[in-house]
Amino acid sequence: EFPRAGKFSVQETPREETAGLLAEALLGVDRSQWVGRSSAELGGDDVLMLDPDRDRQLFETGVAQTFEASFIHRPTGETRQGLFRKAPITNASGDVTGLVANIVDITDRTEMELALRRATRHAQAANSAKSEFLANMSHEIRTPMNGVI
């Protein structure tokens, strides 16, 4: 069973990454390995789901972000779906010096939405087949009745 939410932060100078206990369990990476090290040193940006383009945009604009993206639970290699909220960390001058991010595991919700879309398509196909059948039956019943009347 996976935790459903976690938090991590990244400071640009000095380059430091930290994570809460829930993020550690959610991502499957020992947080003691993160302190003072870059994600590249830890094995790539996927460790903290850093999206270089999104993060660069956040550092340049200082505008918070909310988006859905996949991440990997490292011990199992399982791909999970997450809702990410990233916000800038600023210094006294207002310069962006880092970011803080919250992750909510939405894998179960995403799978339910997919199943619901499939069920909806199936129900619509069944409804179309029923309508076509009734239209044909109505025609088949009316045609002989016209001769009787």
Side-chain angles (χ1 to χ4, degrees):
E1 181 66 23
F2 292 94
R4 295 293 169 225
K7 179 176 110 175
F8 67 88
S9 66
V10 177
Q11 289 289 326
E12 189 174 45
T13 312
R15 179 70 179 186
E16 182 178 295
E17 297 171 355
T18 61
L21 288 171
L22 287 175
E24 177 181 31
L26 183 68
L27 306 176
V29 178
D30 183 352
R31 69 187 177 134
S32 66
Q33 297 172 347
W34 298 12
V35 178
R37 300 177 67 196
S38 72
S39 58
E41 292 174 305
L42 294 171
D45 286 341
D46 68 312
V47 172
L48 292 180
M49 293 80 52
L50 299 177
D51 180 331
D53 293 331
R54 285 186 200 263
D55 291 350
R56 191 174 307 106
Q57 182 181 24
L58 186 140
F59 275 88
E60 290 171 0
T61 65
V63 176
Q65 305 168 344
T66 300
F67 58 93
E68 293 181 12
S70 299
F71 66 93
I72 297 172
H73 182 255
R74 295 185 72 110
T76 63
E78 183 178 355
T79 300
R80 308 287 294 172
Q81 295 298 313
L83 174 64
F84 294 79
R85 291 187 180 99
K86 292 184 177 184
I89 298 172
T90 57
N91 61 19
S93 304
D95 300 322
V96 178
T97 60
L99 66 85
V100 62
N102 289 307
I103 312 160
V104 178
D105 186 336
I106 58 170
T107 304
D108 294 339
R109 185 195 84 185
T110 304
E111 290 170 354
M112 283 189 290
E113 288 172 352
L114 181 60
L116 181 59
R117 281 194 292 275
R118 277 191 289 243
T120 300
R121 282 193 303 271
H122 182 72
Q124 289 170 339
N127 189 44
S128 294
K130 176 200 68 154
S131 296
E132 185 177 329
F133 172 78
L134 290 175
N136 287 336
M137 288 307 294
S138 176
H139 175 73
E140 294 298 324
I141 292 171
R142 265 194 327 260
T143 302
M145 294 300 283
N146 287 337
V148 172
I149 296 176

